[in-house]
C-alpha cells in the first residue's frame, strides 16, 4: 500500500471535465528511424520522446474511430490505423518507434504495430472511457487512465488479460498521464496531481483545487505544469509541490485542453476555448502571445521537441505553425 503525501496548493473548485468538442488529438512524432537491431530492416515511426527526437511526423486521433500518421509539413497522410469501436481520445508511441497505443470511448486500450498498421492486442478492464494512455520507457508496459478513476498497467509481453497493477487513489476521473524513467504523473478531475515515485514506492499528491485537464513534466524534469478548469496553469516544483508560477488570460472552464512547455522550457503554451493558443514567459509569467487559430475551441496541441514549431487541433483540422525562417531537416517544408 502506498503512503500518500498530500500537499495543498489552492482552495477547492467544483467543475467537471468535458472531453468535447471532438477536435482531433495531435502528437508530435519522430521521423523514420531504424531499430538498433541490425537484423531488422523495417523503418518505423513513433511519438516524440527523450531520445534523438526530430519531430517530423505527427499522430492524430479523434471521433472517426481511427488514428492517422502524417507528415505535417507536407500535409501528407501516411497511414490510417482502424480498430476502435468508438472515438479515440488519446494515443502514444513507443521509444523504438515500433508500436503505438491508444484508448477511447470503447473502454479498450489498443496496442498497434506501426509498420503493418495491425492491432497486436486489445486490453479490456476499464469501466469507463479511457481518456489517456502512455508507454513506460522500455515500451513493455502501457499505462491507461480512465473516467472510472483508475490507472491500469498492462504488460505488453504477457498473454494474461488482467492488468499487472491498478492504481486507484484518484477520487474522480483520471484526465492526464505522463511517465518518466521512474515516475508516473497523473492529473485527476478530483483536483489532485499525483506523482508515483517507483524507486522508493511513495505517492506525492498536490491539491490545486480545480479539476485538472492536463499535466506534463518540464523538459529538465524539475517541475510539473498543471492546467485546470479555473482558467489557470500552475508551475509546481516537482519535489516540494511549491507553487513557482501562475499563468492566466486564456479560457478553460468546460473542456479538456492541452498545455505544454516550449522546446527549451522558456515558454508555457496552452489551448483556449476562445479559439487561440496562449504563450507566457515561463519566468516572468507575462503573456507573450495570443495566437488566433479559428472560431472554435482549440483542444489539442503539440510542440516540436527541438524547434519553434507547433501543431494545433480544432474542429477536425490540424494546423502547423512555425517561424518564417524555420526549415525542417531535409528541406521538407
Amino acid at each position: 500500500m502506498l503512503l500518500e503525501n498530500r500537499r495543498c496548493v489552492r482552495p477547492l473548485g467544483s467543475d467537471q471535465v468535458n472531453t468535447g468538442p471532438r477536435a482531433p488529438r495531435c502528437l508530435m512524432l519522430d521521423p523514420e528511424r531504424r531499430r538498433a537491431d541490425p537484423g531488422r530492416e523495417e523503418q518505423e515511426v513513433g511519438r516524440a520522446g527523450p531520445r534523438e527526437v526530430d519531430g517530423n511526423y505527427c499522430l492524430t486521433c479523434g471521433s472517426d474511430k481511427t488514428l492517422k500518421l502524417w507528415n505535417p509539413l507536407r500535409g501528407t497522410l501516411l497511414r490510417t490505423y482502424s480498430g476502435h469501436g468508438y472515438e479515440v481520445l488519446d494515443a502514444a508511441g513507443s521509444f523504438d518507434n515500433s508500436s503505438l497505443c491508444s484508448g477511447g470511448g470503447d473502454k479498450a486500450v489498443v496496442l498497434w504495430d506501426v509498420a503493418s498498421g495491425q492491432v497486436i492486442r486489445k486490453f479490456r478492464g476499464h469501466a469507463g472511457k479511457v481518456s489517456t494512455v502512455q508507454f513506460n520507457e522500455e515500451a513493455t508496459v502501457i499505462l491507461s487512465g480512465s473516467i472510472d478513476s483508475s490507472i491500469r498497467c498492462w504488460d505488453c509481453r504477457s498473454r494474461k488479460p488482467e492488468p499487472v497493477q491498478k492504481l486507484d487513489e484518484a477520487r474522480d476521473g483520471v484526465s492526464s498521464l505522463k511517465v518518466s524513467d521512474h515516475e508516473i504523473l497523473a492529473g485527476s478531475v478530483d483536483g489532485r496531481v499525483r506523482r508515483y515515485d517507483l524507486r522508493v514506492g511513495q505517492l506525492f499528491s498536490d491539491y490545486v483545487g480545480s479539476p485538472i485537464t492536463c499535466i506534463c513534466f518540464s523538459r529538465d524534469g524539475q517541475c510539473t505544469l498543471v492546467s485546470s478548469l479555473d482558467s489557470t496553469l500552475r508551475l509546481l516544483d516537482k519535489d516540494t509541490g511549491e507553487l513557482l508560477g501562475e499563468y492566466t488570460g486564456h479560457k478553460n472552464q468546460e473542456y479538456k485542453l492541452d498545455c505544454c512547455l516550449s522546446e527549451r522550457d522558456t515558454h508555457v503554451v496552452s489551448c483556449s476555448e476562445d479559439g487561440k493558443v496562449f504563450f507566457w514567459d515561463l519566468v516572468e509569467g507575462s503573456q507573450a502571445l495570443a495566437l488566433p487559430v479559428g472560431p472554435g475551441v482549440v483542444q489539442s496541441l503539440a510542440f516540436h521537441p527541438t524547434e519553434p514549431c507547433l501543431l494545433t487541433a480544432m474542429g477536425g483540422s490540424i494546423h502547423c505553425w512555425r517561424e518564417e525562417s524555420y526549415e525542417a531537416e531535409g528541406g521538407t517544408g
Side-chain angles (χ1 to χ4, degrees):
M1 181 177 180
L2 290 174
L3 176 63
E4 185 170 0
N5 296 281
R6 297 192 169 192
R7 305 176 294 204
C8 185
V9 179
R10 299 285 288 182
L12 179 65
S14 61
D15 296 81
Q16 298 294 304
V17 173
N18 187 338
T19 57
R22 301 307 180 197
R25 183 104 166 85
C26 59
L27 304 97
M28 278 286 189
L29 305 181
D30 293 353
E32 291 182 339
R33 290 163 48 194
R34 297 182 185 272
R35 284 173 172 261
D37 179 357
R40 291 288 297 275
E41 291 298 324
E42 55 201 59
Q43 293 183 332
E44 301 161 334
V45 183
R47 195 180 77 83
R51 305 176 183 175
E52 303 177 5
V53 174
D54 294 299
N56 290 339
Y57 291 81
C58 76
L59 182 70
T60 63
C61 57
S63 58
D64 64 355
K65 309 176 188 177
T66 69
L67 292 76
K68 289 183 170 64
L69 183 66
W70 303 83
N71 180 327
L73 300 178
R74 296 186 181 275
T76 305
L77 176 62
L78 303 176
R79 187 179 291 276
T80 299
Y81 302 85
S82 301
H84 274 281
Y86 290 87
E87 61 188 351
V88 186
L89 297 176
D90 197 19
S94 62
F95 78 96
D96 62 357
N97 307 317
S98 64
S99 303
L100 302 173
C101 64
S102 59
D106 56 5
K107 308 176 187 178
V109 177
V110 181
L111 176 64
W112 308 82
D113 179 71
V114 170
S116 67
Q118 298 300 306
V119 173
I120 300 173
R121 286 195 64 189
K122 284 189 178 182
F123 302 96
R124 300 187 184 276
H126 280 293
K129 294 180 180 180
V130 178
S131 53
T132 178
V133 292
Q134 289 283 299
F135 279 106
N136 69 334
E137 260 211 345
E138 295 78 22
T140 56
V141 175
I142 298 172
L143 294 93
S144 58
S146 169
I147 64 171
D148 67 7
S149 306
S150 73
I151 300 169
R152 301 181 189 228
C153 306
W154 311 91
D155 190 339
C156 298
R157 301 166 297 183
S158 172
R159 305 309 301 177
K160 295 182 178 179
E162 300 85 10
V164 294
Q165 189 168 7
K166 178 182 176 182
L167 306 173
D168 55 4
E169 288 76 18
R171 295 296 173 259
D172 210 326
V174 178
S175 56
S176 186
L177 280 176
K178 291 293 184 292
V179 181
S180 71
D181 60 343
H182 65 278
E183 295 168 310
I184 301 170
L185 187 67
S188 172
V189 181
D190 66 9
R192 288 193 178 274
V193 181
R194 293 177 173 86
R195 180 172 61 89
Y196 299 83
D197 190 322
L198 305 180
R199 296 175 304 182
V200 296
Q202 280 191 305
L203 167 60
F204 300 91
S205 176
D206 295 313
Y207 185 59
V208 302
S210 183
I212 293 168
T213 63
C214 186
I215 46 95
C216 64
F217 290 108
S218 60
R219 297 189 186 275
D220 63 9
Q222 301 301 308
C223 305
T224 58
L225 181 65
V226 183
S227 175
S228 55
L229 283 185
D230 56 357
S231 298
T232 303
L233 289 94
R234 296 171 176 86
L235 187 70
L236 307 179
D237 184 280
K238 187 186 72 173
D239 293 327
T240 67
E242 179 185 356
L243 180 63
L244 303 177
E246 288 190 340
Y247 311 90
T248 59
H250 67 303
K251 182 181 179 183
N252 186 11
Q253 300 173 335
E254 185 177 359
Y255 299 116
K256 181 181 184 296
L257 306 182
D258 282 349
C259 67
C260 68
L261 291 161
S262 61
E263 83 282 6
R264 296 180 181 175
D265 277 348
T266 57
H267 289 84
V268 172
V269 189
S270 176
C271 299
S272 181
E273 294 169 9
D274 59 6
K276 300 176 183 177
V277 171
F278 284 77
F279 292 73
W280 296 267
D281 183 276
L282 177 75
V283 177
E284 299 295 331
S286 57
Q287 183 179 311
L289 175 66
L291 176 67
V293 177
V297 176
V298 185
Q299 192 170 355
S300 185
L301 59 77
F303 214 94
H304 194 287
T306 60
E307 301 289 345
C309 183
L310 176 72
L311 289 179
T312 60
M314 182 183 67
S317 298
I318 303 294
H319 297 88
C320 182
W321 308 84
R322 52 186 173 167
E323 293 181 343
E324 292 183 4
S325 59
Y326 176 80
E327 183 176 350
E329 183 178 350
T332 57

